[in-house]
Amino acid sequence: MKRIFWVAVVITVFVSVASAASLYTVTISDTDAQTVQDATIEIMTGKNFTIDEITPYKAVFTKSFGDGFWTASRLCYVIFNFVERDGNVKLMVSETEKVNNIERKRGIDHLVPLVKRIKSAVDGTPEESVSNEAKNQLPGSGNEREKALGLKLAKDSQDSFVKILAVEPGGLAADAGVLALDILEEINGRSTKDMTLNAINSYFANKMAAKSSIMIVISRGGKKELLMLNENEE
């Protein structure tokens, strides 16, 4: 009986995560990334989230759920990316959770009221008027499509690393946390210094066509970060 109970709990959790949106995107008007970040910090810490990481264009918050006895203990990471464009800020929100040292993406429906509150606090939009700009790609929505990588790249010279000029909202790169002006240093273990821009774009295209995972190393403000681009992660 106890085993059946835990199986039911696991199935319920899996279904709720699988059926929830995993990315929420809104445009906040007439502002800058710092202002949006300040509002985000105030609202998230007011809900007992802890600041895990802060950079000029990213904020990560954590919060623990479950008592480890009746329900599994899990640590949730909420990632906010702030992309400035034309005097506005594109705010992209996603979440991962760690359960028994296993990380996976988590639905963010429970965060939607907080995202709406952030936008309303900065540009005055009524919360009830705020909606998700990311396309609904849940099974059965009628909007399923393959995600684009969403990267615009540049290379100053043959022996230089690649600079990321732009990141398309809702693409695989944006989902992974890549930001404009990041430096792309490695792709699947190979230095971008050793690759031409045409070779890089062709490599990405081939990997995307094969639906293969792409492991990249980016640097931002002197700090390196390993990211995985994979449409099948969810």
Side-chain angles (χ1 to χ4, degrees), residues 5 8 23 47 52-53 71 92 104 109 120 126 135 137-139 161 167 172 180 201 203 209 231 233:
F5 169 77
L23 177 68
K47 290 296 182 179
D52 183 73
E53 178 187 354
T71 57
M92 294 175 285
R104 64 183 181 184
D109 288 359
S120 180
K135 265 193 173 295
Q137 297 182 46
L138 298 176
F161 289 122
V167 180
L172 293 183
N201 287 328
Y203 184 83
E231 187 171 9
E233 280 186 331

Side-chain angles (χ1 to χ4, degrees), residues 14-108:
F14 177 78
V15 171
S16 64
V17 171
S19 62
S22 60
L23 177 68
Y24 200 96
T25 302
V26 293
T27 300
I28 303 179
S29 305
D30 300 322
T31 188
D32 54 45
Q34 184 63 60
T35 301
V36 178
Q37 187 179 91
D38 288 346
T40 301
I41 291 172
E42 180 179 354
I43 289 171
M44 293 299 289
T45 55
K47 290 296 182 179
N48 298 319
F49 282 86
T50 301
I51 298 174
D52 183 73
E53 178 187 354
I54 292 289
T55 69
Y57 297 100
K58 182 180 180 181
V60 181
F61 300 86
T62 61
K63 192 172 184 179
S64 295
F65 297 89
D67 57 15
F69 181 75
W70 292 108
T71 57
S73 177
R74 64 185 190 273
L75 182 63
C76 295
Y77 297 83
V78 183
I79 302 99
F80 290 83
N81 288 306
F82 313 97
V83 181
E84 291 190 18
R85 181 177 298 168
D86 300 327
N88 304 321
V89 172
K90 184 78 73 173
L91 176 63
M92 294 175 285
V93 187
S94 60
E95 184 175 7
T96 61
E97 66 178 2
K98 190 172 184 179
V99 181
N100 297 326
N101 294 320
I102 298 175
E103 290 191 6
R104 64 183 181 184
K105 284 192 176 181
R106 173 178 163 84
I108 51 112

Side-chain angles (χ1 to χ4, degrees), residues 102-141:
I102 298 175
E103 290 191 6
R104 64 183 181 184
K105 284 192 176 181
R106 173 178 163 84
I108 51 112
D109 288 359
H110 64 293
L111 295 171
V112 171
L114 301 182
V115 178
K116 291 183 176 183
R117 192 176 307 170
I118 291 168
K119 176 173 170 60
S120 180
V122 176
D123 68 8
T125 301
E127 293 182 26
E128 62 272 15
S129 300
V130 180
S131 60
N132 191 356
E133 297 170 10
K135 265 193 173 295
N136 179 10
Q137 297 182 46
L138 298 176
S141 68

Side-chain angles (χ1 to χ4, degrees), residues 48 63 127 145 164 177 189-190 208 215 217 233:
N48 298 319
K63 192 172 184 179
E127 293 182 26
R145 60 181 174 83
I164 296 172
R190 182 176 176 182
M208 291 291 291
M215 182 176 66
V217 174
E233 280 186 331

